[in-house]
Amino acid sequence: MYPEYLVAPMRQELVDAGFQELKTSAEVDSAIPSEGTVFVVVNSVCGCAAANARPAAKAAVKNEKHPDKLVTVFAGMEKDAVDKARQYMLPFPPSSPAMALFKDGKLVHMIERHMIEGRPAQMIADNLVAAFDEYC
């Protein structure tokens, strides 16, 4: 687990963009399998989260078509919430950062860490916008 003072600005970046933090497995169970579309960001302290994932997520949710709910869990912090979110993302292996789009509780789009590393934030945002346009 990381010190809270270290991750607070990284958490706040997504909260300021309209994301709700999920800190317990019960909160994850309440959010993801719900009706409509849910966009989940597995946040992280790594450089690719700062340079690529968070900027991409923030840009994508400004699209005209966007998910009904925006939620985030933080890898390396709330273990139970992250583990529960990752269960919903199966069969994809755990990765952070990661982004998943659910529609009516079903996983319909996934972006894993290897699809984030080394790619510009705008490219990732464009991928998300295409998924939002299709499913939202």
Side-chain angles (χ1 to χ4, degrees):
M1 300 295 163
Y2 300 103
E4 182 59 36
Y5 72 87
L6 178 71
V7 301
M10 298 172 211
R11 289 182 191 274
Q12 197 61 45
E13 191 174 347
L14 290 179
V15 169
D16 288 347
F19 285 78
Q20 174 191 358
E21 286 189 280
L22 305 178
K23 294 188 174 185
T24 68
S25 59
E27 289 175 338
V28 172
D29 276 336
S30 177
I32 292 178
S34 60
E35 190 174 313
T37 51
V38 181
F39 179 43
V40 181
V41 174
V42 179
N43 203 349
S44 173
V45 299
C46 70
C48 65
N52 310 76
R54 288 192 299 270
K58 292 185 326 183
V61 299
K62 292 178 183 174
N63 187 48
E64 184 177 328
K65 286 180 128 182
H66 54 80
D68 300 314
K69 289 184 188 175
L70 309 173
V71 299
T72 181
V73 295
F74 206 107
M77 294 303 288
E78 293 79 29
K79 183 178 178 355
D80 291 341
V82 173
D83 288 349
K84 180 57 77 170
R86 287 176 170 160
Q87 286 177 7
Y88 284 101
M89 296 175 194
L90 290 172
F92 294 94
S95 78
S96 59
M99 300 178 215
L101 180 64
F102 295 86
K103 182 167 186 169
D104 298 329
K106 180 182 175 192
L107 180 64
V108 294
H109 190 74
M110 183 75 187
I111 297 179
E112 299 174 86
R113 178 185 177 104
H114 72 87
M115 301 165 75
I116 295 170
E117 289 178 304
R119 289 182 173 76
Q122 190 58 55
M123 180 185 287
I124 300 162
D126 291 345
N127 179 301
L128 290 168
V129 165
F132 296 170
D133 284 345
E134 181 175 352
Y135 295 107
C136 298

